[in-house]
């Protein structure tokens, strides 16, 4: 049985993927994003000092935000990020054993896949949702096609989701979208946080409008 996605993510519908050469830039960027309504943060383990960065953000962003871990490849990675305070985990691949390990620990997990077989395998193993990666290879219509045979499978696109198209993924039934570079830009390399604020507003507005259309609001 899967662990549900958090209300924080289901309300905000945007995951900010934080991947940086220098983890010191993560907190200012995350705090800015949180002010604009992006409240779910995936710190990738390809970030130098990623586990420590998870602990830092988990302790600083407060209860209205959640910090997760990305690029989790092994059970050892899983244990390390949970000890640091990660509230969900994301993988770039489909590993049923790792999914079951997360479920046993009561943590949401979103494994990556591209083909129907990979995505369904992750969902059947107990994933909270599946990550369509790289989403740029297929586009939003692919999710509609997947929901033909797999109507109950939540799909979160990642890899190539841009600001302009974020809402389209919500319109085809995705519970959330995952954005890295198109949202963060150069903010994780010491770039302009004012520009980051504007990008965040664009994404949040587009996703909120799409969600309202889907719900009929």
């Amino acid at each position: 049985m899967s662990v549900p996605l958090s209300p924080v993510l289901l309300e905000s519908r945007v995951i900010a993927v934080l991947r940086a050469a220098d983890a010191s830039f993560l907190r200012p960027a995350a705090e800015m994003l949180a002010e604009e309504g992006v409240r779910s943060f995936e710190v990738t383990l390809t970030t130098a000092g990623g586990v420590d960065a998870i602990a830092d953000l988990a302790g600083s962003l407060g209860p209205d935000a959640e910090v997760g871990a990305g690029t989790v490849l092994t059970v050892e990675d899983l244990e390390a990020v949970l000890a640091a305070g990660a509230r969900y985990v994301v993988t770039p691949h489909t590993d049923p054993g790792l999914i079951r390990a997360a479920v046993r620990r009561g943590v949401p997990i979103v494994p990556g896949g591209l083909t129907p077989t990979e995505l369904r395998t992750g969902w059947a193993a107990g994933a909270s949702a599946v990550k369509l990666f790289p989403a740029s290879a297929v586009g939003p219509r692919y999710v509609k096609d997947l929901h033909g045979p797999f109507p109950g499978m939540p799909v979160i696109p990642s890899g190539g989701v841009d600001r302009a198209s974020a809402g389209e993924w919500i319109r085809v039934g995705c519970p959330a979208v995952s954005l890295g570079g198109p949202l963060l830009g150069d903010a994780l390399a010491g770039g302009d946080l004012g520009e980051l604020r504007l990008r965040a507003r664009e994404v949040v507005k587009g996703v909120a409008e799409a969600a309202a259309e889907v719900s009929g609001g």
Side-chain angles (χ1 to χ4, degrees):
M1 186 173 180
S2 65
V3 180
L5 296 170
S6 74
V8 169
L9 178 57
L10 294 177
E11 290 170 9
S12 67
R13 293 180 174 262
V14 178
I15 299 172
V17 181
L18 306 182
R19 179 184 293 106
D22 184 346
S24 67
F25 293 114
L26 266 60
R27 189 197 289 191
E31 290 175 344
M32 176 75 74
L33 289 169
E35 290 176 7
E36 296 300 329
V38 178
R39 300 199 304 275
S40 186
F41 302 93
E42 175 192 334
V43 179
T44 73
L45 294 189
T46 51
T47 294
V51 173
D52 290 339
I54 290 168
D56 177 61
L57 290 180
S60 66
L61 289 177
D64 292 332
E66 63 175 2
V67 180
T71 326
V72 174
L73 301 178
T74 67
V75 174
E76 290 74 20
D77 289 343
L78 174 66
E79 297 286 5
V81 300
L82 293 183
R87 290 169 57 183
Y88 65 92
V89 295
V90 180
T91 78
H93 65 312
T94 301
D95 180 341
L98 182 56
I99 294 167
R100 289 191 289 268
V103 172
R104 286 196 298 271
R105 289 158 178 79
V107 61
I109 182 168
V110 183
L114 181 62
T115 69
T117 297
E118 291 168 338
L119 296 167
R120 174 59 183 170
T121 296
W123 177 236
S128 307
V130 292
K131 180 176 79 168
L132 177 62
F133 177 80
S136 59
V138 289
R141 177 56 191 258
Y142 189 64
V143 176
K144 293 187 71 173
D145 293 339
L146 286 171
H147 282 161
F150 311 130
M153 185 172 69
V155 180
I156 297 176
S158 181
V161 177
D162 60 31
R163 301 193 303 278
S165 68
E168 292 305 313
W169 294 95
I170 301 299
R171 290 184 180 94
V172 297
C174 296
V177 293
S178 176
L179 291 92
L183 172 60
L184 275 299
D186 62 357
L188 300 186
D192 188 341
L193 293 182
E195 291 297 320
L196 174 62
R197 185 185 296 278
L198 295 177
R199 292 191 297 270
R201 287 178 179 174
E202 179 184 355
V203 170
V204 169
K205 181 174 183 288
V207 167
E209 288 175 349
E213 289 177 22
V214 170
S215 65

